[in-house]
Amino acid sequence: MAQENSVTETDAPLAIVIFGVTGDLTHRKLIPAIYSLTVGGKLPKDFHIVGFARREWTDEAMREDFSTGIEESLHPDQPDALVLNKILQNSYYVQSTFEDPVGYAQLCDKLDALKVKNVLFYLATPPEVYPTIVENIRANGINHRKSGWTRIIVEKPYGRDLDSAIELDNTIHQVFEENQIYRIDHYLGKETVQNILVFRFANAIFEPLWNRRYVDHIQINVAETVGVGTRAGYYDTSGVIRDMFQNHLLQLVTLTAMEAPVNFNADAVRDEKVKVLKALRPIREMEAITHTFRAQYVSGVIEGVRVPGYKEEEGVPANSITETMLAVRLCVDNWRWAGVPFYVRSSKRMPKRKTEIIIRFRQAPLSLFNWVNLAGDAPNTLILNLQPNEGIRLEFGAKAPGPAREVSPVIMEFDYDETFGSDPPEAYQRLLLDSIQGDATLFTRQDEVRGQWAFTTDILKGWEANPVTNLPVYEAGTWGPPGLDEFIQKNGFSWR
Ligand code: BG6
């Protein structure tokens, strides 16, 4: 099916239909993103939102919720009244269960009445109802439009393992073509995540060093201060491996490790990312124990406030062995990366929020200066700070001033905020706009999601075959238990 990208097509009357509109995602992310896009004049003039959910809301109740979502996101600034009113006036609610044909009939009537040309469906519901919704979309014939396009954004989790991801894919593919399906991973919408590719492929100086000859190892660290909050029901059946590793972390791995694409269109970029997934050495059976490290937080203090332990969070079973910290040692078996380990980790309830990619270069081949080395053993490190202090930092050794024979660590730094003078826009803005414009580069393709799950499912099976009754614990507000250090030290490395 052709995906139109011309100005007229993206300017044509559009409706975004949000299934699960009453949820947190719409309130905190989607509506604020739609507001910012409207302020920036990026959406078609004739633009509507149709919310669809079970809760007994009216148009008015939904508009009220949108309004507070926008205000909260802008706080302490006030929304532009004209823009806000326009969004609210063009928003309508359909109250229905996800099974009820009457609800879908109402939705169709609404779309007809609005005379929209293009329709973007957004699945922001629990994943169990995805099949029911797409089946009802098909039954009502609204998966295609006579003129104009129909696309569907599917939120994570996209399956629980390889088999269920394939099953979900098969279900959605009975209703939508692959080029209508936008599997969202909000990490790809982050400016600094996209900057990984610009940094690597728009500059000539780093790429020649970006390989096994010069790189010693790579670390990717996603540390969060938040706990599981009110999402224990979902989280306890997911853990870091499904919540962060299968999607966000593997995205960061592929962007860091991929070859230059032949151009920057959606398929060329994703072809290269898929190749990295195919080159990941599977972690099977006992290796799922030796190549990973899991832990769980107990009560501790973050920013002066005592927070509960994971097992004390509402809805978490007392005997839960769900990990809130995961570290994995990955090997990318290709010519570029053979022998360069990737250590990736993600944890909740850390002392600080921080997402960074660390490229540790090899040492100089010969130690010519027999000086006191204050820069450590391997002073050349490149750090891509993805959040919250977005920027890039290069660390190297320099001669310390004075007669003492000392090499001292120094840095060269680029700070996003200082240079560009503003915070990067929210990920959902970019991703919503791309999906409206028919650009799927920053969305996960079918073979990519399968590659991610194939690798992740091996680890899950290895854990299942070698069960544990308890995980090591770490106090909230600390950087993790001693086992985390031992995990990397056993191979002669250390966490940054
Ligand atoms: C989500 C996970 O996908 O990403 C959350 O479900 C996690 O558990 C969040 O907190 C992290 O996103 P960000 O943008 O805050 O790094």
Side-chain angles (χ1 to χ4, degrees), residues 29 155-156 185-187 190 222-224 226-228 231 234-235 243-244 247-248 348 353 355 387 426-428:
K29 300 288 184 189
E155 266 293 338
K156 71 176 252 269
D185 182 319
H186 80 280
Y187 264 55
K190 292 178 191 276
V222 181
E224 300 184 89
V226 293
V228 294
R231 301 158 73 221
Y234 149 77
Y235 194 87
D243 187 50
M244 298 291 290
N247 37 73
H248 309 324
K348 293 222 179 279
R353 178 172 187 239
T355 300
Q387 56 186 19
E426 268 283 321
Y428 277 92

Side-chain angles (χ1 to χ4, degrees), residues 11 216 242 356:
D11 260 0
D216 181 66
R242 291 186 172 94
E356 56 186 12

Side-chain angles (χ1 to χ4, degrees), residues 312-341:
E312 291 141 28
E313 305 272 16
E314 210 182 316
V316 175
N319 58 353
S320 169
I321 48 155
T322 299
E323 76 288 350
T324 58
M325 162 180 282
L326 172 66
V328 183
R329 180 179 197 271
L330 303 168
C331 298
V332 183
D333 283 340
N334 62 18
W335 273 50
R336 186 189 279 264
W337 295 116
V340 179

Side-chain angles (χ1 to χ4, degrees), residues 101-129:
V102 178
Y104 292 89
Q106 282 173 20
L107 171 63
C108 293
D109 289 348
K110 193 52 134 185
L111 293 177
D112 287 345
L114 294 173
K115 297 195 170 53
V116 288
K117 191 161 178 216
N118 300 327
V119 177
L120 178 64
F121 292 112
Y122 201 118
L123 298 187
T125 61
E128 304 80 76
V129 291

Side-chain angles (χ1 to χ4, degrees), residues 123-196:
L123 298 187
T125 61
E128 304 80 76
V129 291
Y130 291 174
T132 312
I133 294 172
V134 291
E135 176 46 35
N136 277 291
I137 288 176
R138 192 197 55 75
N140 285 276
I142 45 175
N143 48 335
H144 291 289
R145 303 199 72 72
K146 283 196 201 82
S147 69
W149 52 255
T150 310
R151 297 178 188 135
I152 184 162
I153 299 186
V154 189
E155 266 293 338
K156 71 176 252 269
Y158 200 87
R160 285 189 50 73
D161 52 20
L162 181 59
D163 288 346
S164 55
I166 292 176
E167 199 181 312
L168 176 60
D169 247 351
N170 291 342
T171 308
I172 298 183
H173 271 279
Q174 282 168 18
V175 182
F176 293 100
E177 314 280 339
E178 177 63 19
N179 64 7
Q180 293 178 283
I181 306 170
Y182 287 69
R183 299 172 193 82
I184 202 165
D185 182 319
H186 80 280
Y187 264 55
L188 293 179
K190 292 178 191 276
E191 290 274 312
T192 39
V193 171
Q194 293 157 41
N195 194 39
I196 300 171

Side-chain angles (χ1 to χ4, degrees), residues 54-120:
R54 289 175 282 220
R55 203 172 301 171
E56 290 200 353
W57 274 9
T58 54
D59 288 352
E60 270 322 306
M62 187 180 77
R63 290 172 184 161
E64 185 58 40
D65 183 73
F66 286 3
S67 179
T68 49
I70 293 168
E71 277 161 18
E72 283 163 17
S73 74
L74 297 174
H75 185 78
D77 296 334
Q78 288 296 313
D80 176 319
L82 276 178
V83 175
L84 181 64
N85 280 338
K86 184 179 168 202
I87 294 175
L88 300 184
Q89 276 162 15
N90 289 338
S91 298
Y92 314 90
Y93 185 62
V94 175
Q95 192 246 316
S96 168
T97 65
F98 297 110
E99 294 80 24
D100 189 356
V102 178
Y104 292 89
Q106 282 173 20
L107 171 63
C108 293
D109 289 348
K110 193 52 134 185
L111 293 177
D112 287 345
L114 294 173
K115 297 195 170 53
V116 288
K117 191 161 178 216
N118 300 327
V119 177
L120 178 64

